Amino acid sequence: MIQITTVVGARPNFVKMAPILQEIHRRPNCKARLVHTGQHYSPEMSASFFDELNIPEPDVNLEVGSGTHTVQTAHVMMGLEKDFANRPDLVLVVGDVNSTVAASLVAAKMGIPVAHVEAGLRSFDRRMPEEINRLVTDTLSDYLFASEPAGVKNLLAEGVPQEKIFLVGNVMIDTLLQFRDKAAQSGVLDRLGLKKGGYCVATLHRPSNVDDIEHLARLVDVLSDVAKKLPVVFPVHPRTRERLAAAKVATDSLMLSAPLGYLEFLNLTAEARLVLTDSGGIQEETTILNVPCLTLRENTERPITIEEGTNRLVGVNPEDVRKAAMEALEMPPRIAKAPDLWDGRASARILDVIERTIR
Ligand code: UD1
């Protein structure tokens, strides 16, 4: 029996881990243990994802909560050191959040093999906490499962041996394809009084966009201008909510909401005319949904969404964002190509590799 301890903590990780857990449960030779670090703890940030995505009740919740990066990472590490004392055959982590790097550090120091799903992505911007998390996690991992060719290329360039790297596709898209039809029944458009193709969706939560309240206020002004053309739905991350309150900026023309559950948000994105975001995962989801996406960042670690998908990197200068949004609303939506291996089978490929090779 292969014992695999999986670690989740923050919102995007739940979406990525759900299909992997299903795949582990499907295999008689594998057994999963699920640790929730509690990095995201509010019901709106976490609880609904578990129900909607059929994620089993975690075996343990470390309840670390918020804190500085050091405090949060350290608390996760302390909790996991105790949990890993049962010595699983493998610790499997996804993405690039603080819980991910904490788990890989603890496992590596205890001599437990680490598998990193979504390995090799690089923004080449070390001011992003996620970039530090990616670099450290990949350095410590024994299995590096890449979602797109750029991930493989980056790892090889960093000297990772080829035999540790596996291009398997995108687990977040496994979830999207599985739940797309169910999401279409969510009723969110009726609830918010929206028409298919008749609104935009905005999300902002990166420290680089929301922590400086003057910058945030300028971006909100741009969104308000977009809202003169089409309604803008803006589900607000708790970090952003705090900063918006501090900025005292007018948001009356936007449709603000609390963070949405997975199915409602997928439904909302799928039917949007345009998405403006600084999230990583949304760049990938819009590519598969064939919805134009403007990414409000200077870089992306997911270049395939630009090369083959619907994503456009527009930077964070408010004038550039405004211009790009107005242009995007004028242009007919571009037809995207689904990247290779973004086909709903990434988790199965991951488990195939693990079953075939683990000693
Ligand atoms: C984290 C990830 C980020 C990911 C994002 C998705 C890291 C470094 N960042 O950022 O990559 O895109 O999750 O959501 O791991 N808060 C609540 N309730 C919660 C959780 C957070 O109110 O359940 C508030 C707290 O004020 C907290 C702040 O949000 O200080 C930030 O939370 P944190 O988990 O530290 O990082 P995120 O910004 O959510």
Side-chain angles (χ1 to χ4, degrees):
M1 184 65 78
I2 306 169
Q3 303 277 350
I4 305 175
T5 294
T6 57
V7 180
V8 293
R11 235 165 123 87
N13 284 5
F14 308 141
V15 182
K16 294 168 194 172
M17 199 62 92
I20 298 173
L21 288 166
Q22 281 174 18
E23 197 58 41
I24 297 176
H25 288 300
R26 238 176 247 139
R27 307 206 175 208
N29 290 333
C30 299
K31 194 165 180 332
R33 178 175 174 80
L34 175 61
V35 181
H36 185 345
T37 65
Q39 174 174 345
H40 285 173
Y41 48 88
S42 320
E44 61 180 25
M45 292 297 284
S46 134
S48 71
F49 275 54
F50 277 78
D51 293 342
E52 291 183 312
L53 301 175
N54 302 327
I55 302 174
E57 191 66 24
D59 294 284
V60 56
N61 188 327
L62 304 179
E63 296 182 359
V64 298
S66 297
T68 64
H69 284 251
T70 300
V71 166
Q72 193 175 56
T73 308
H75 281 155
V76 176
M77 288 180 71
M78 282 155 60
L80 289 179
E81 187 176 44
K82 289 201 187 89
D83 195 81
F84 294 173
N86 65 14
R87 303 209 61 86
D89 298 302
L90 184 70
V91 166
L92 186 146
V93 296
V94 292
D96 53 19
V97 303
N98 288 340
S99 299
T100 306
V101 71
S104 53
L105 262 166
V106 175
K109 290 214 174 201
M110 293 175 76
I112 301 168
V114 179
H116 183 209
V117 175
E118 209 180 67
L121 296 183
R122 297 288 181 268
S123 65
F124 302 100
D125 178 359
R126 292 197 182 188
R127 291 168 305 177
M128 273 180 92
E130 292 81 3
E131 182 75 352
I132 309 286
N133 295 346
R134 292 180 201 118
L135 285 161
V136 175
T137 303
D138 283 341
T139 300
L140 298 177
S141 291
D142 301 278
Y143 289 91
L144 296 112
F145 293 113
S147 55
E148 60 170 284
V152 176
K153 188 169 147 248
N154 295 333
L155 292 169
L156 291 173
E158 288 170 17
V160 177
Q162 176 106 50
E163 57 272 21
K164 287 188 174 184
I165 307 171
F166 305 90
L167 181 62
V168 291
N170 189 325
V171 288
M172 207 168 202
I173 303 306
D174 289 4
T175 302
L176 183 151
L177 295 175
Q178 185 184 347
F179 287 98
R180 194 176 179 170
D181 291 346
K182 191 170 177 199
Q185 312 298 318
S186 83
V188 68
L189 271 66
D190 287 345
R191 181 164 78 73
L192 299 177
L194 299 167
K195 287 202 186 65
K196 286 186 182 184
Y199 61 92
C200 305
V201 176
T203 79
L204 292 173
H205 75 283
R206 295 265 160 230
S208 55
N209 275 335
V210 307
D211 282 0
D212 173 350
I213 53 180
E214 282 172 22
H215 177 65
L216 176 62
R218 284 193 293 271
L219 290 180
V220 169
D221 275 347
V222 174
L223 295 180
S224 301
D225 280 352
V226 176
K228 289 177 192 150
K229 302 249 173 193
L230 282 182
V232 175
V233 187
F234 184 2
V236 187
H237 184 285
R239 170 201 290 283
T240 311
R241 188 171 55 217
E242 256 174 50
R243 309 310 296 160
L244 276 177
K248 298 198 178 66
V249 55
T251 53
D252 324 347
S253 54
L254 307 176
M255 297 175 68
L256 298 193
S257 82
L260 299 176
Y262 179 75
L263 295 175
E264 282 203 338
F265 189 73
L266 175 55
N267 192 183
L268 197 64
T269 315
E271 305 298 351
R273 174 66 183 83
L274 176 68
V275 173
L276 301 101
T277 190
D278 60 9
S279 146
I282 295 173
Q283 299 170 45
E284 301 181 332
E285 291 168 337
T286 45
T287 275
I288 291 295
L289 296 167
N290 211 10
V291 171
C293 177
L294 302 181
T295 296
L296 278 63
R297 288 174 43 188
E298 301 292 357
N299 50 54
T300 178
E301 58 288 331
R302 295 163 159 89
I304 204 163
T305 60
I306 296 177
E307 291 151 13
E308 297 186 10
T310 56
N311 189 20
R312 233 185 103 194
L313 206 54
V314 296
V316 296
N317 177 317
E319 278 323 306
D320 295 343
V321 177
R322 188 188 322 258
K323 192 162 164 275
M326 296 307 163
E327 267 172 30
L329 290 177
E330 297 298 319
M331 280 195 304
R334 173 181 162 192
I335 305 297
K337 173 178 174 292
D340 209 20
L341 304 178
W342 290 24
D343 59 356
R345 303 238 340 121
S347 307
R349 289 187 198 99
I350 289 168
L351 266 296
D352 285 349
V353 170
I354 292 172
E355 281 203 297
R356 196 172 66 230
T357 57
I358 204 156
R359 283 181 294 270

